[in-house]
Amino acid sequence: MGSLKGNQTRVSEFLLAAISPTWQSQITLFVIFLLVYSTTLVGNTLIIVTVMSDSRLRTPMYFLLGNLSFLDICTSSVTAPKMLMDLLAVKRNISFDACMAQLFFIHMVLAAEMFLLSIMAYDRYVAICKPLHYPSIMNRSICSWLVAASWTGGFIHATVQTVLTLRLPFCGPNQVDNFFCDVPPVIKLACTDTYVIELLMVFNSGLISTTCFIILVTSYTTILVKIRSPEGWHKVLSVCASHLTVVTLFFGPCIFIYARPFSTFSVDKLVSVLYNSVTPMLNPMIYTLRNKEVKSAMRRLRIKEVTSEGNMTV
């Protein structure tokens, strides 16, 4: 079954759960998730290229939005390719090492995105509530350090989660009750009492997701309170409402999964799809593609490409 460790045999692979019980529905889900993943890649890549190519978008806000798009690509790419292959496979197996790697990277990018969303909320708070001090508080250098800090925080968080998981003995069963390797379903398979480990991991993941969500809600609420004019309040409310919608779709499932004891619910796999597949697709639509400056930059980029193609043809 696997390599020996003391008197126990460690499993060499895990079997991932099926998303759907029937072959016909799995084919349908394959097409849907392929479209979702393709849209995520195209939409977020377009945002990154637009932000990098247009000098008018070289501001802290768009620098952060470009990094959010990159994180969304990473978040979706950690699980989506394997999930798409498994939808067409008879045996949905993953090696022990690959499972631990997937667990590590999904927690790193999720935590980094949580920290980055908190930074973005603070950026909007400073821009709206302290506009005169904005250039000194949120310059490009500070934003670069903040983005680096979000990745570092994600790396530390993922390292803690992975090390705690690797210390557990896994001697069977090896059926993971999810379509990817995550901490809650994986540690349930350990051949030992995991009560203390569960508390540590809930405190780690649950505290991060809940705290970041509170920071975001507090930031947007403060912005709304600070706005005095009805026109400004209406404009900011429309923006904040759309941001809070996608933030809730991201943080709600994370809090539901990680901020509770690791009991299993049938809805867990569906909830996991929200923050792994749906939210990375929605972020460019909500945060960026509704932005007039970004749409103008995309038009300029398209005109530049058409002009360049025309010159090459001539």
Side-chain angles (χ1 to χ4, degrees), residues 14 18 32 36 43 87 111 144 166 190 198 206 223 246 254 261 267 275 302:
F14 291 105
I32 293 173
V36 170
L87 283 169
S144 298
L166 283 170
E198 287 182 19
I223 291 172
V246 71
C254 288
V267 75
Y275 66 81
R302 179 57 183 164

Side-chain angles (χ1 to χ4, degrees), residues 2-311:
S3 58
L4 284 174
K5 187 176 181 179
N7 293 326
Q8 292 181 326
T9 303
R10 192 185 75 175
V11 298
S12 59
E13 66 176 20
F14 291 105
L15 300 178
L16 300 175
I19 299 178
S20 175
T22 64
W23 176 252
Q24 291 80 3
S25 58
Q26 286 194 184
I27 295 297
T28 303
L29 288 173
F30 173 83
V31 175
I32 293 173
F33 284 127
L34 180 61
L35 289 174
V36 170
Y37 183 52
S38 300
T39 303
T40 300
L41 293 180
V42 173
N44 284 289
T45 301
L46 180 60
I47 299 303
I48 294 172
V49 172
T50 302
V51 170
M52 292 180 64
S53 61
D54 198 303
S55 59
R56 303 180 192 183
L57 300 183
R58 289 172 187 171
T59 63
M61 182 180 75
Y62 294 110
F63 174 71
L64 295 175
L65 285 172
N67 279 276
L68 177 65
S69 291
F70 179 71
L71 273 171
D72 283 332
I73 291 174
C74 293
T75 300
S76 186
S77 297
V78 171
T79 58
K82 173 62 177 171
M83 180 181 68
L84 289 171
M85 289 189 294
D86 286 346
L87 283 169
L88 300 179
V90 177
K91 185 179 179 182
R92 295 166 294 276
N93 61 311
I94 183 171
S95 69
F96 182 90
D97 292 338
C99 181
M100 294 299 108
Q102 190 178 62
L103 185 151
F104 172 83
F105 284 111
I106 191 63
H107 276 270
M108 183 176 71
V109 295
L110 282 177
E113 183 158 344
M114 290 180 186
F115 296 139
L116 183 63
L117 287 170
S118 301
I119 294 169
M120 291 172 62
Y122 177 71
D123 172 75
R124 291 300 83 207
Y125 165 78
V126 175
I128 295 173
C129 300
K130 299 182 179 181
L132 297 178
H133 300 284
Y134 182 77
S136 60
I137 296 176
M138 294 298 293
N139 57 56
R140 186 63 178 265
S141 176
I142 292 176
C143 285
S144 298
W145 280 107
L146 289 174
V147 170
S150 69
W151 277 98
T152 303
F155 177 81
I156 294 172
H157 164 74
T159 300
V160 171
Q161 298 288 87
T162 307
V163 169
L164 288 174
T165 304
L166 283 170
R167 289 173 61 87
L168 296 172
F170 293 95
C171 52
N174 64 340
Q175 179 71 50
V176 178
D177 190 23
N178 208 336
F179 63 87
F180 68 99
C181 287
D182 198 5
V183 173
V186 169
I187 71 170
K188 283 181 59 182
L189 304 177
C191 306
T192 186
D193 181 26
T194 60
Y195 178 76
V196 176
I197 299 294
E198 287 182 19
L199 289 181
L200 290 173
M201 291 186 170
V202 167
F203 180 77
N204 187 354
S205 298
L207 183 63
I208 289 175
S209 55
T210 304
T211 301
C212 289
F213 182 68
I214 292 173
I215 290 173
L216 283 161
V217 173
T218 302
S219 176
Y220 286 130
T221 303
T222 304
I223 291 172
L224 291 173
V225 171
K226 291 284 185 179
I227 300 298
R228 300 301 180 185
S229 65
E231 296 82 7
W233 196 87
H234 177 74
K235 182 179 179 180
V236 173
L237 180 62
S238 64
V239 174
C240 289
S242 60
H243 287 193
L244 281 174
T245 299
V246 71
V247 161
T248 302
L249 287 174
F250 177 68
F251 281 95
C254 288
I255 293 172
F256 177 78
I257 294 293
Y258 300 119
R260 61 176 168 87
F262 293 155
S263 52
T264 302
F265 297 105
S266 59
V267 75
D268 283 357
K269 289 189 283 292
L270 175 61
V271 172
S272 298
V273 171
L274 288 176
Y275 66 81
N276 270 283
S277 301
V278 177
T279 305
M281 179 186 67
L282 293 178
N283 274 342
M285 301 178 188
I286 297 296
Y287 280 98
T288 312
L289 296 180
R290 294 171 69 248
N291 187 293
K292 292 181 180 179
E293 290 183 338
V294 174
K295 288 190 287 188
S296 298
M298 288 180 177
R299 283 194 291 268
R300 290 193 295 270
L301 181 62
R302 179 57 183 164
I303 292 172
K304 184 178 179 180
E305 289 179 351
V306 172
T307 303
S308 177
E309 289 175 0
N311 292 335

